[in-house]
């Protein structure tokens, strides 16, 4: 009896999520991840199953002498194919060199998952793994 109730509740939850749709924060070329990027929410279309965030580091769109660089954040609903394409397109530009213009993109799944712009968090894990492996190899080298 209890398992039937749990199964029914999980089916109802799945149906509600399918009908309601994904919600993402949306904004376009805002000066940082503030204000509009944190308060404007959109219910995505049925086929849009991801939230896409892009961040760009560059000068103002119009030329001014001595213009300082700043972050520009954009967020929107997206599909898996679009996310893959945009991430692939920006991969060569995603380098975080402060004196050069750069652009990075990331996607996530889940309601309002794009509140924070967490670009580069997965690379931190790989860097820690690289350091750990290097330390092990150096310690093994001292034994031989």
């Amino acid at each position: 009896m209890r398992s039937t109730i749990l199964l029914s509740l999980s089916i109802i939850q799945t149906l509600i999520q399918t009908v309601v749709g994904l919600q993402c924060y949306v904004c376009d070329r805002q000066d940082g991840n503030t204000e509009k990027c944190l308060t404007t929410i959109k219910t995505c279309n049925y086929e849009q199953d991801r939230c896409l965030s892009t961040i760009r580091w560059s000068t103002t769109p119009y030329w001014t002498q001595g213009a300082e660089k700043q972050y520009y954040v954009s967020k929107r609903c997206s599909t898996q194919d679009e996310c893959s394409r945009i991430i692939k397109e920006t991969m060569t530009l995603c380098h975080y060199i402060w004196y050069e213009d750069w652009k990075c993109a990331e996607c996530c799944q889940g309601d309002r998952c794009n509140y924070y712009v967490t670009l580069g968090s997965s690379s931190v894990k790989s860097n820690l793994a690289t350091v750990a492996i290097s330390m092990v190899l150096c310690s093994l080298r001292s034994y031989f």
Side-chain angles (χ1 to χ4, degrees), residues 22-86:
L22 178 69
Q23 289 185 332
C24 296
Y25 289 95
V26 293
C27 61
D28 189 36
R29 288 175 267 161
Q30 298 298 305
D31 300 340
N33 192 33
T34 59
E35 298 171 13
K36 187 176 181 181
C37 289
L38 301 177
T39 58
T40 309
I41 298 166
K42 178 183 177 186
T43 300
C44 303
N45 296 334
Y46 174 75
E47 67 278 356
Q48 296 173 317
D49 60 349
R50 298 201 176 9
C51 299
L52 169 67
S53 300
T54 57
I55 185 167
R56 188 170 52 95
W57 172 255
S58 67
T59 56
T60 54
Y62 48 87
W63 186 86
T64 56
Q65 186 174 0
E68 292 188 21
K69 293 186 182 283
Q70 65 184 47
Y71 294 102
Y72 293 96
V73 176
S74 297
K75 299 178 179 183
R76 67 177 190 255
C77 298
S78 186
T79 62
Q80 181 179 359
D81 291 340
E82 181 184 36
C83 279
S84 298
R85 181 181 53 80
I86 290 175

